[in-house]
């Protein structure tokens, strides 16, 4: 089975989540697959893509509005393709456990037929934040730092690649 062309896209406020998408795309390419990493704002349709990896930064336990709007616009197309979801945002050591992120994200995975939803710790740099964001970060005592687990992200991309390759000849 040919995997066709894979779209890897994400909604990212300060580029950290899009950097995860770019790494997933690069790993899929290293595995011999055809993949495009595109910011979610640049994707108008899914024509020509046979699979999608879709992510969003998480703020206050929710995906960003552009990611939710993307799902609403393309729900039928997403449900008709192999789909993997990822979220990025919990920070700290240890980060917020994935099961505490929110029921909204579980429902999102179910409504789109996603094969899997992974939550990766994110990156926080107060210098990149606006006034309101800095106030929220201060309120919840979120620590600065880059907590993205690159080996885990690459391993997940390898799992996606294997899932698209399907079973070999018996």
């Amino acid at each position: 089975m040919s995997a066709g062309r894979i779209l890897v896209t994400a909604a990212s406020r300060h580029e950290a989540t899009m950097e995860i998408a770019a790494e997933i795309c690069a790993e899929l390419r290293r595995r011999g697959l055809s993949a495009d990493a595109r910011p979610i704002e640049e994707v108008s349709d899914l024509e020509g893509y046979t699979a999608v990896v879709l992510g969003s930064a998480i703020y206050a336990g929710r995906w960003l509005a552009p990611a939710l709007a993307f799902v609403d616009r393309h729900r039928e197309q997403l449900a008709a393709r192999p789909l993997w979801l990822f979220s990025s945002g919990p920070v700290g050591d240890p980060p917020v456990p994935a099961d505490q992120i929110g029921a909204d994200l579980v429902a999102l995975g179910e409504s789109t037929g996603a094969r899997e939803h992974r939550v990766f710790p994110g990156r926080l740099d107060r210098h990149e934040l606006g006034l309101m964001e800095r106030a929220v970060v201060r309120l919840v005592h979120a620590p600065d730092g880059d907590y993205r687990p690159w080996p885990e992200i690459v391993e997940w991309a390898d799992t996606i690649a294997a899932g698209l390759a399907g079973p070999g000849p018996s």
Side-chain angles (χ1 to χ4, degrees):
M1 168 186 158
S2 170
R5 213 161 121 224
I6 306 153
L7 171 64
V8 185
T9 188
S12 188
R13 209 176 263 168
H14 301 288
E15 297 306 313
T17 305
M18 193 59 213
E19 290 169 0
I20 292 173
E23 182 60 28
I24 291 167
C25 181
E27 184 61 20
L28 293 173
R29 288 179 181 164
R30 283 191 285 272
R31 297 283 302 250
L33 299 171
S34 174
D36 300 327
R38 297 175 57 198
I40 206 161
E41 298 82 9
E42 294 179 8
V43 181
S44 58
D45 67 65
L46 302 182
E47 191 66 37
Y49 291 107
T50 57
V52 177
V53 179
L54 170 62
S56 178
I58 298 174
Y59 283 81
R62 296 183 50 86
W63 267 21
L64 296 177
L68 295 172
F70 182 88
V71 170
D72 286 344
R73 266 193 325 276
H74 303 291
R75 190 174 305 276
E76 285 184 30
Q77 290 178 301
L78 291 169
R81 292 164 169 75
L83 171 67
W84 288 264
L85 304 175
F86 72 94
S87 299
S88 171
V91 294
D93 193 13
V96 174
D99 62 356
Q100 292 181 17
I101 296 302
D104 294 10
L105 297 178
V106 172
L108 181 72
E110 291 171 356
S111 73
T112 57
R115 292 186 176 191
E116 186 177 4
H117 176 212
R118 293 289 295 267
V119 178
F120 298 112
R123 180 187 77 203
L124 177 62
D125 180 349
R126 290 176 207 280
H127 296 96
E128 294 179 346
L129 304 179
L131 185 60
M132 291 301 290
E133 291 172 315
R134 282 195 305 269
V136 170
V137 164
R138 195 173 24 248
L139 183 68
V140 299
H141 306 290
D144 275 14
D146 190 343
Y147 299 94
R148 294 172 294 177
W150 295 111
E152 185 180 326
I153 291 164
V154 167
E155 182 180 305
W156 188 58
D158 288 343
T159 301
I160 292 169
L164 287 168
S170 52

